Amino acid sequence: MRTLARVTLLIAALAGGFTRAEPPALQALPDLAVSTYMGRWYQVAWFPNRFQRQCVSDTRADYRLRPDGRIEVLNRCTLADGRTDEALGLARPVGRLQDDRLQPAQLEVSFLPAALRWLPFGWGRYWVVDRAEDGRYAIVSEPTREYLWVLARTPQLSPADETAVRATLQRLGFDLSRLQAHPHSAR
């Protein structure tokens, strides 16, 4: 009997009986009021990545709309030795930007030196995939779900917002085991 059960399990596994369902394709929000997105955001949770590995705490981004419709992005964080690291980048709309509305809520962001931003590489996808109705937090990712940032207007989410964000991430097909809180000091 045990041999038959093992053979049945093996056949089911080989036939795809134990395949994991793929999450639905990730979508950016269909619409974003750009002016309401400007200002300071704190990174409160994220999927750790290679280009931010030096940042141990206090990561924040300041967004400023430029007259040409592009967005200046100033990222700052605290390093392990207490110094501050800073990177100035540029975001450009992927979709249509008209009358303060970005449709869909997709940007490309580059932190390359300004003289190299004409190159076809060095631009990362930046999709706002969810946002609190009043704009107090936002979830940012890209189509492969490899990168994820949970941003908030304050250095910490409320317990209710944290629960709502986790539920949204799960619904959107993110691997919650990769999610890490990002600390902020009381400066």
Side-chain angles (χ1 to χ4, degrees):
M1 181 69 172
R2 285 188 174 162
T3 303
L4 180 58
R6 287 183 188 147
V7 170
T8 303
L9 285 173
L10 179 61
I11 291 170
L14 292 173
F18 294 112
T19 59
R20 191 172 152 192
E22 286 295 315
L26 192 61
Q27 301 292 318
L29 292 176
D31 183 84
L32 179 69
V34 174
S35 61
T36 65
Y37 201 76
M38 298 300 99
R40 177 159 295 165
W41 288 94
Y42 297 90
Q43 176 183 295
V44 295
W46 66 319
F47 282 179
N49 60 63
R50 62 178 165 62
F51 50 87
Q52 284 182 285
R53 67 179 168 259
Q54 76 281 7
C55 297
V56 297
S57 68
D58 302 306
T59 299
R60 65 181 193 258
D62 291 294
Y63 297 88
R64 183 182 68 82
L65 185 61
R66 296 176 8 160
D68 65 2
R70 293 178 178 208
I71 298 167
E72 181 180 276
V73 183
L74 178 60
N75 285 348
R76 287 190 179 113
C77 71
T78 300
L79 306 174
D81 64 6
R83 290 181 301 130
T84 298
D85 190 21
E86 187 173 280
L88 183 62
L90 184 68
R92 61 187 181 195
V94 172
R96 190 176 85 186
L97 177 59
Q98 184 176 358
D99 299 327
D100 192 47
R101 309 303 296 188
L102 178 60
Q103 300 171 332
Q106 297 177 2
L107 298 165
E108 290 178 321
V109 180
S110 177
F111 288 93
L112 288 174
L116 297 177
R117 290 188 187 142
W118 61 270
L119 294 168
F121 57 86
W123 289 88
R125 293 176 175 170
Y126 181 107
W127 289 13
V128 180
V129 298
D130 193 63
R131 188 169 180 217
E133 212 170 287
D134 65 357
R136 68 187 178 276
Y137 67 79
I139 299 172
V140 176
S141 189
E142 44 69 51
T144 68
R145 295 179 178 84
E146 179 65 24
Y147 301 102
L148 172 70
W149 297 271
V150 178
L151 307 177
R153 292 297 188 177
T154 59
Q156 190 173 8
L157 290 174
S158 71
D161 284 345
E162 188 171 336
T163 299
V165 164
R166 291 183 73 81
T168 298
L169 291 173
Q170 189 164 22
R171 178 180 50 80
L172 293 175
F174 284 92
D175 178 2
L176 294 182
S177 70
R178 294 184 57 210
L179 185 65
Q180 290 187 11
H182 189 74
H184 288 271
S185 58
R187 291 186 199 199

